[in-house]
Amino acid sequence: MRWFLAIELAFLPFSAFAQDVSGSAHAVDGDTLNMAGIVIRLHGIDAPELNQNCSRQGQSWECGKEASAKLAQLVSGVNLRCEQRDIDGYDRIVATCKAGQVDLGQAMVEAGLAVALTQFSERYLAAEARAKELGLGIWGGEFQLPADYRAANPRAYRPKPQASTVRQPIISPAPSGVYYRNCSAAWAAGAAPLYRGQPGYRPEMDGDGDGVACEPFRRR
């Protein structure tokens, strides 16, 4: 059944997100899981890469490996329930995952072993603020943002080339009164991505100005 679900998810259109995947998993790194061959990237957070080091009290420490160990501890011996949000540039499912009542993204950010990706979700902002105030994990010293670390090591973290097929937008007049505060709200309403001319589209939500707002997460 799990493999059938994995195949079914692979062919879902972007508008059909919020599918559930459940089962046991092991940690690949601090924000990635492998569930019987289904690779899942935790939504809304970014943990240090596995080989990334940080600095604490002037000493180098393996923050990437510690983040991975923390996630491994959280998922050990429990069944997870993951709600798909997207598919990223590495063809991984991007999902919010829970171990019982524990939101894995929340737990990683609270431990100071991941940062909140506010461009995709504001869910973990408060947890990040608490970790920063207490100086937990990476906030207890100096560190390079995971995105900056990947940018400095492009060969190891280059997304797969995207298919040449371009999804054609359906343009319709935008009625008055349709408003999404941000892309998270648009995704939650099942309306994203938004194309220029569609209800709810605003240039402020279209970061690269290509006429498509709240595009799926294509770069890690």
Side-chain angles (χ1 to χ4, degrees):
M1 173 64 75
R2 185 177 298 156
W3 288 106
F4 173 78
L5 180 58
I7 295 171
E8 182 181 37
L9 283 171
F11 290 97
L12 282 174
F14 284 106
S15 59
F17 289 150
Q19 301 296 312
D20 286 343
V21 190
S22 61
S24 60
H26 69 265
V28 176
D29 56 26
D31 53 31
T32 311
L33 301 166
N34 188 307
M35 187 182 291
I38 306 172
V39 182
I40 300 172
R41 170 70 158 84
L42 295 180
H43 179 256
I45 73 167
D46 203 5
E49 296 297 334
L50 193 60
N51 294 322
Q52 185 175 347
N53 288 343
C54 302
S55 175
R56 185 165 52 193
Q57 296 180 345
Q59 300 294 318
S60 177
W61 65 287
E62 297 178 325
C63 52
K65 288 183 172 61
E66 187 164 328
S68 180
K70 175 64 176 179
L71 186 58
Q73 176 189 5
L74 290 168
V75 304
S76 178
V78 298
N79 282 330
L80 308 180
R81 188 179 72 258
C82 298
E83 183 178 320
Q84 186 183 4
R85 305 287 186 180
D86 204 346
I87 296 175
D88 71 6
Y90 299 88
D91 287 340
R92 299 171 300 188
I93 291 173
V94 180
T96 300
C97 295
K98 288 188 176 182
Q101 297 302 311
V102 177
D103 182 316
L104 297 181
Q106 177 90 7
M108 292 300 295
V109 175
E110 283 183 342
L113 293 172
V115 297
L117 293 177
T118 56
Q119 66 268 45
F120 301 110
S121 174
E122 298 179 357
R123 179 186 300 217
Y124 306 121
L125 270 176
E128 182 181 85
R130 287 193 297 270
K132 188 182 298 187
E133 182 179 3
L134 295 172
L136 300 178
I138 57 178
W139 302 108
E142 297 180 354
F143 68 97
Q144 190 175 25
L145 286 172
D148 293 338
Y149 178 83
R150 290 191 295 273
N153 298 273
R155 291 187 178 180
Y157 302 104
R158 181 177 296 140
K160 292 178 59 178
Q162 299 301 313
S164 59
T165 302
V166 177
R167 290 176 290 128
Q168 296 298 322
I170 299 174
I171 305 299
S172 60
S176 60
V178 178
Y179 175 83
Y180 302 109
R181 186 167 64 90
N182 52 33
C183 285
S184 295
W187 277 108
L194 297 166
Y195 298 93
R196 186 180 289 118
Q198 282 189 311
Y201 172 90
R202 290 187 292 117
E204 302 94 296
M205 299 162 72
D206 184 359
D208 55 8
D210 65 349
V212 186
C214 306
E215 296 172 85
F217 188 18
R218 289 301 185 188
R219 294 187 302 275
R220 178 149 185 213

